[in-house]
PDB file of all heavy atoms in Angstrom:
ATOM      1  N   ALA F 257      67.413  79.960  62.377  1.00  0.00           N
ATOM      2  CA  ALA F 257      68.179  79.741  61.150  1.00  0.00           C
ATOM      3  C   ALA F 257      67.770  78.433  60.478  1.00  0.00           C
ATOM      4  O   ALA F 257      67.592  78.366  59.257  1.00  0.00           O
ATOM      5  CB  ALA F 257      69.675  79.741  61.458  1.00  0.00           C
ATOM      6  N   VAL F 258      67.607  77.384  61.290  1.00  0.00           N
ATOM      7  CA  VAL F 258      67.205  76.084  60.739  1.00  0.00           C
ATOM      8  C   VAL F 258      65.797  76.169  60.154  1.00  0.00           C
ATOM      9  O   VAL F 258      65.552  75.737  59.016  1.00  0.00           O
ATOM     10  CB  VAL F 258      67.263  74.989  61.825  1.00  0.00           C
ATOM     11  CG1 VAL F 258      66.698  73.677  61.276  1.00  0.00           C
ATOM     12  CG2 VAL F 258      68.692  74.786  62.297  1.00  0.00           C
ATOM     13  N   ALA F 259      64.873  76.711  60.916  1.00  0.00           N
ATOM     14  CA  ALA F 259      63.486  76.804  60.462  1.00  0.00           C
ATOM     15  C   ALA F 259      63.365  77.662  59.208  1.00  0.00           C
ATOM     16  O   ALA F 259      62.595  77.350  58.290  1.00  0.00           O
ATOM     17  CB  ALA F 259      62.605  77.378  61.578  1.00  0.00           C
ATOM     18  N   ASP F 260      64.138  78.740  59.149  1.00  0.00           N
ATOM     19  CA  ASP F 260      64.116  79.642  58.006  1.00  0.00           C
ATOM     20  C   ASP F 260      64.495  78.911  56.721  1.00  0.00           C
ATOM     21  O   ASP F 260      63.788  78.972  55.707  1.00  0.00           O
ATOM     22  CB  ASP F 260      65.083  80.799  58.274  1.00  0.00           C
ATOM     23  CG  ASP F 260      65.038  81.877  57.193  1.00  0.00           C
ATOM     24  OD1 ASP F 260      64.109  81.858  56.355  1.00  0.00           O
ATOM     25  OD2 ASP F 260      65.926  82.744  57.180  1.00  0.00           O
ATOM     26  N   VAL F 261      65.608  78.187  56.766  1.00  0.00           N
ATOM     27  CA  VAL F 261      66.088  77.486  55.565  1.00  0.00           C
ATOM     28  C   VAL F 261      65.136  76.363  55.164  1.00  0.00           C
ATOM     29  O   VAL F 261      64.779  76.221  53.992  1.00  0.00           O
ATOM     30  CB  VAL F 261      67.511  76.928  55.793  1.00  0.00           C
ATOM     31  CG1 VAL F 261      67.928  76.050  54.622  1.00  0.00           C
ATOM     32  CG2 VAL F 261      68.505  78.062  55.986  1.00  0.00           C
ATOM     33  N   LEU F 262      64.725  75.568  56.144  1.00  0.00           N
ATOM     34  CA  LEU F 262      63.847  74.434  55.834  1.00  0.00           C
ATOM     35  C   LEU F 262      62.558  74.884  55.159  1.00  0.00           C
ATOM     36  O   LEU F 262      62.158  74.363  54.113  1.00  0.00           O
ATOM     37  CB  LEU F 262      63.501  73.661  57.115  1.00  0.00           C
ATOM     38  CG  LEU F 262      64.608  72.842  57.774  1.00  0.00           C
ATOM     39  CD1 LEU F 262      64.117  72.285  59.106  1.00  0.00           C
ATOM     40  CD2 LEU F 262      65.074  71.706  56.860  1.00  0.00           C
ATOM     41  N   THR F 263      61.903  75.856  55.765  1.00  0.00           N
ATOM     42  CA  THR F 263      60.598  76.268  55.254  1.00  0.00           C
ATOM     43  C   THR F 263      60.712  77.077  53.966  1.00  0.00           C
ATOM     44  O   THR F 263      59.861  76.946  53.081  1.00  0.00           O
ATOM     45  CB  THR F 263      59.837  77.076  56.321  1.00  0.00           C
ATOM     46  OG1 THR F 263      60.616  78.207  56.722  1.00  0.00           O
ATOM     47  CG2 THR F 263      59.559  76.215  57.548  1.00  0.00           C
ATOM     48  N   ALA F 264      61.761  77.894  53.849  1.00  0.00           N
ATOM     49  CA  ALA F 264      61.935  78.685  52.626  1.00  0.00           C
ATOM     50  C   ALA F 264      62.121  77.779  51.420  1.00  0.00           C
ATOM     51  O   ALA F 264      61.523  77.996  50.355  1.00  0.00           O
ATOM     52  CB  ALA F 264      63.117  79.636  52.772  1.00  0.00           C
ATOM     53  N   LYS F 265      62.949  76.759  51.564  1.00  0.00           N
ATOM     54  CA  LYS F 265      63.207  75.863  50.433  1.00  0.00           C
ATOM     55  C   LYS F 265      61.994  74.999  50.114  1.00  0.00           C
ATOM     56  O   LYS F 265      61.712  74.706  48.948  1.00  0.00           O
ATOM     57  CB  LYS F 265      64.444  75.011  50.717  1.00  0.00           C
ATOM     58  CG  LYS F 265      65.727  75.827  50.791  1.00  0.00           C
ATOM     59  CD  LYS F 265      66.961  75.014  50.472  1.00  0.00           C
ATOM     60  CE  LYS F 265      68.175  75.939  50.363  1.00  0.00           C
ATOM     61  NZ  LYS F 265      69.220  75.402  49.493  1.00  0.00           N
ATOM     62  N   ALA F 266      61.269  74.590  51.141  1.00  0.00           N
ATOM     63  CA  ALA F 266      60.074  73.776  50.916  1.00  0.00           C
ATOM     64  C   ALA F 266      58.997  74.568  50.177  1.00  0.00           C
ATOM     65  O   ALA F 266      58.390  74.075  49.214  1.00  0.00           O
ATOM     66  CB  ALA F 266      59.538  73.258  52.244  1.00  0.00           C
ATOM     67  N   ILE F 267      58.764  75.807  50.606  1.00  0.00           N
ATOM     68  CA  ILE F 267      57.754  76.641  49.941  1.00  0.00           C
ATOM     69  C   ILE F 267      58.220  76.994  48.530  1.00  0.00           C
ATOM     70  O   ILE F 267      57.398  77.053  47.592  1.00  0.00           O
ATOM     71  CB  ILE F 267      57.471  77.913  50.756  1.00  0.00           C
ATOM     72  CG1 ILE F 267      56.815  77.545  52.102  1.00  0.00           C
ATOM     73  CG2 ILE F 267      56.574  78.868  49.978  1.00  0.00           C
ATOM     74  CD1 ILE F 267      55.472  76.840  51.983  1.00  0.00           C
ATOM     75  N   ALA F 268      59.517  77.197  48.346  1.00  0.00           N
ATOM     76  CA  ALA F 268      60.049  77.472  46.999  1.00  0.00           C
ATOM     77  C   ALA F 268      59.757  76.311  46.065  1.00  0.00           C
ATOM     78  O   ALA F 268      59.397  76.505  44.898  1.00  0.00           O
ATOM     79  CB  ALA F 268      61.549  77.740  47.064  1.00  0.00           C
ATOM     80  N   ALA F 269      59.893  75.087  46.564  1.00  0.00           N
ATOM     81  CA  ALA F 269      59.602  73.912  45.740  1.00  0.00           C
ATOM     82  C   ALA F 269      58.124  73.878  45.355  1.00  0.00           C
ATOM     83  O   ALA F 269      57.775  73.569  44.212  1.00  0.00           O
ATOM     84  CB  ALA F 269      59.984  72.639  46.492  1.00  0.00           C
ATOM     85  N   CYS F 270      57.254  74.184  46.312  1.00  0.00           N
ATOM     86  CA  CYS F 270      55.817  74.227  46.018  1.00  0.00           C
ATOM     87  C   CYS F 270      55.521  75.248  44.920  1.00  0.00           C
ATOM     88  O   CYS F 270      54.770  74.976  43.974  1.00  0.00           O
ATOM     89  CB  CYS F 270      55.029  74.584  47.272  1.00  0.00           C
ATOM     90  SG  CYS F 270      55.033  73.334  48.578  1.00  0.00           S
ATOM     91  N   THR F 271      56.123  76.431  45.039  1.00  0.00           N
ATOM     92  CA  THR F 271      55.889  77.511  44.081  1.00  0.00           C
ATOM     93  C   THR F 271      56.475  77.177  42.713  1.00  0.00           C
ATOM     94  O   THR F 271      55.803  77.320  41.682  1.00  0.00           O
ATOM     95  CB  THR F 271      56.508  78.819  44.599  1.00  0.00           C
ATOM     96  OG1 THR F 271      55.935  79.129  45.886  1.00  0.00           O
ATOM     97  CG2 THR F 271      56.232  79.966  43.645  1.00  0.00           C
ATOM     98  N   ASP F 272      57.721  76.716  42.706  1.00  0.00           N
ATOM     99  CA  ASP F 272      58.403  76.407  41.442  1.00  0.00           C
ATOM    100  C   ASP F 272      57.674  75.328  40.645  1.00  0.00           C
ATOM    101  O   ASP F 272      57.585  75.399  39.413  1.00  0.00           O
ATOM    102  CB  ASP F 272      59.841  75.938  41.706  1.00  0.00           C
ATOM    103  CG  ASP F 272      60.720  77.023  42.303  1.00  0.00           C
ATOM    104  OD1 ASP F 272      60.305  78.193  42.288  1.00  0.00           O
ATOM    105  OD2 ASP F 272      61.819  76.684  42.785  1.00  0.00           O
ATOM    106  N   LEU F 273      57.185  74.315  41.350  1.00  0.00           N
ATOM    107  CA  LEU F 273      56.588  73.158  40.687  1.00  0.00           C
ATOM    108  C   LEU F 273      55.067  73.254  40.598  1.00  0.00           C
ATOM    109  O   LEU F 273      54.420  72.341  40.072  1.00  0.00           O
ATOM    110  CB  LEU F 273      56.997  71.870  41.418  1.00  0.00           C
ATOM    111  CG  LEU F 273      58.512  71.610  41.461  1.00  0.00           C
ATOM    112  CD1 LEU F 273      58.838  70.424  42.346  1.00  0.00           C
ATOM    113  CD2 LEU F 273      59.052  71.372  40.053  1.00  0.00           C
ATOM    114  N   GLY F 274      54.506  74.311  41.133  1.00  0.00           N
ATOM    115  CA  GLY F 274      53.061  74.488  41.054  1.00  0.00           C
ATOM    116  C   GLY F 274      52.284  73.467  41.851  1.00  0.00           C
ATOM    117  O   GLY F 274      51.195  73.038  41.445  1.00  0.00           O
ATOM    118  N   VAL F 275      52.838  73.082  42.991  1.00  0.00           N
ATOM    119  CA  VAL F 275      52.184  72.092  43.861  1.00  0.00           C
ATOM    120  C   VAL F 275      51.690  72.815  45.123  1.00  0.00           C
ATOM    121  O   VAL F 275      52.494  73.230  45.954  1.00  0.00           O
ATOM    122  CB  VAL F 275      53.149  70.957  44.243  1.00  0.00           C
ATOM    123  CG1 VAL F 275      52.464  69.977  45.188  1.00  0.00           C
ATOM    124  CG2 VAL F 275      53.666  70.245  43.005  1.00  0.00           C
ATOM    125  N   PRO F 276      50.389  72.977  45.288  1.00  0.00           N
ATOM    126  CA  PRO F 276      49.868  73.770  46.409  1.00  0.00           C
ATOM    127  C   PRO F 276      49.696  72.989  47.707  1.00  0.00           C
ATOM    128  O   PRO F 276      48.798  73.260  48.494  1.00  0.00           O
ATOM    129  CB  PRO F 276      48.509  74.239  45.882  1.00  0.00           C
ATOM    130  CG  PRO F 276      48.060  73.095  45.027  1.00  0.00           C
ATOM    131  CD  PRO F 276      49.312  72.538  44.393  1.00  0.00           C
ATOM    132  N   ARG F 277      50.560  72.011  47.942  1.00  0.00           N
ATOM    133  CA  ARG F 277      50.475  71.200  49.159  1.00  0.00           C
ATOM    134  C   ARG F 277      51.873  70.923  49.682  1.00  0.00           C
ATOM    135  O   ARG F 277      52.788  70.635  48.913  1.00  0.00           O
ATOM    136  CB  ARG F 277      49.759  69.871  48.889  1.00  0.00           C
ATOM    137  CG  ARG F 277      48.259  69.984  48.765  1.00  0.00           C
ATOM    138  CD  ARG F 277      47.646  68.684  48.277  1.00  0.00           C
ATOM    139  NE  ARG F 277      47.992  68.426  46.879  1.00  0.00           N
ATOM    140  CZ  ARG F 277      47.345  68.957  45.842  1.00  0.00           C
ATOM    141  NH1 ARG F 277      46.325  69.759  46.041  1.00  0.00           N
ATOM    142  NH2 ARG F 277      47.719  68.679  44.611  1.00  0.00           N
ATOM    143  N   LEU F 278      52.008  70.960  51.016  1.00  0.00           N
ATOM    144  CA  LEU F 278      53.285  70.643  51.662  1.00  0.00           C
ATOM    145  C   LEU F 278      53.011  69.750  52.861  1.00  0.00           C
ATOM    146  O   LEU F 278      52.166  70.055  53.698  1.00  0.00           O
ATOM    147  CB  LEU F 278      53.993  71.928  52.121  1.00  0.00           C
ATOM    148  CG  LEU F 278      55.265  71.738  52.960  1.00  0.00           C
ATOM    149  CD1 LEU F 278      56.351  71.017  52.158  1.00  0.00           C
ATOM    150  CD2 LEU F 278      55.783  73.080  53.476  1.00  0.00           C
ATOM    151  N   LEU F 279      53.750  68.645  52.915  1.00  0.00           N
ATOM    152  CA  LEU F 279      53.635  67.714  54.033  1.00  0.00           C
ATOM    153  C   LEU F 279      54.933  67.748  54.834  1.00  0.00           C
ATOM    154  O   LEU F 279      56.023  67.633  54.269  1.00  0.00           O
ATOM    155  CB  LEU F 279      53.403  66.287  53.510  1.00  0.00           C
ATOM    156  CG  LEU F 279      53.490  65.158  54.540  1.00  0.00           C
ATOM    157  CD1 LEU F 279      52.289  65.205  55.477  1.00  0.00           C
ATOM    158  CD2 LEU F 279      53.564  63.803  53.853  1.00  0.00           C
ATOM    159  N   LEU F 280      54.827  67.920  56.156  1.00  0.00           N
ATOM    160  CA  LEU F 280      55.993  67.842  57.033  1.00  0.00           C
ATOM    161  C   LEU F 280      56.020  66.474  57.692  1.00  0.00           C
ATOM    162  O   LEU F 280      54.986  65.971  58.136  1.00  0.00           O
ATOM    163  CB  LEU F 280      55.931  68.908  58.131  1.00  0.00           C
ATOM    164  CG  LEU F 280      56.073  70.377  57.749  1.00  0.00           C
ATOM    165  CD1 LEU F 280      56.199  71.222  59.019  1.00  0.00           C
ATOM    166  CD2 LEU F 280      57.263  70.605  56.851  1.00  0.00           C
ATOM    167  N   GLY F 281      57.207  65.889  57.787  1.00  0.00           N
ATOM    168  CA  GLY F 281      57.351  64.601  58.448  1.00  0.00           C
ATOM    169  C   GLY F 281      58.708  64.492  59.113  1.00  0.00           C
ATOM    170  O   GLY F 281      59.609  65.288  58.858  1.00  0.00           O
ATOM    171  N   GLY F 282      58.872  63.477  59.982  1.00  0.00           N
ATOM    172  CA  GLY F 282      60.124  63.306  60.702  1.00  0.00           C
ATOM    173  C   GLY F 282      60.068  63.975  62.060  1.00  0.00           C
ATOM    174  O   GLY F 282      59.225  64.840  62.319  1.00  0.00           O
ATOM    175  N   GLY F 283      60.993  63.592  62.925  1.00  0.00           N
ATOM    176  CA  GLY F 283      60.972  64.080  64.298  1.00  0.00           C
ATOM    177  C   GLY F 283      61.077  65.580  64.441  1.00  0.00           C
ATOM    178  O   GLY F 283      60.490  66.167  65.366  1.00  0.00           O
ATOM    179  N   VAL F 284      61.809  66.254  63.546  1.00  0.00           N
ATOM    180  CA  VAL F 284      61.979  67.697  63.657  1.00  0.00           C
ATOM    181  C   VAL F 284      60.675  68.435  63.330  1.00  0.00           C
ATOM    182  O   VAL F 284      60.518  69.613  63.634  1.00  0.00           O
ATOM    183  CB  VAL F 284      63.152  68.184  62.769  1.00  0.00           C
ATOM    184  CG1 VAL F 284      63.346  69.692  62.845  1.00  0.00           C
ATOM    185  CG2 VAL F 284      64.452  67.505  63.217  1.00  0.00           C
TER     186      VAL F 284
END
Side-chain angles (χ1 to χ4, degrees):
V258 174
D260 186 12
V261 173
L262 289 174
T263 57
K265 294 205 172 207
I267 294 298
C270 292
T271 302
D272 294 347
L273 300 173
V275 178
R277 284 171 290 277
L278 173 63
L279 170 71
L280 292 189
V284 179

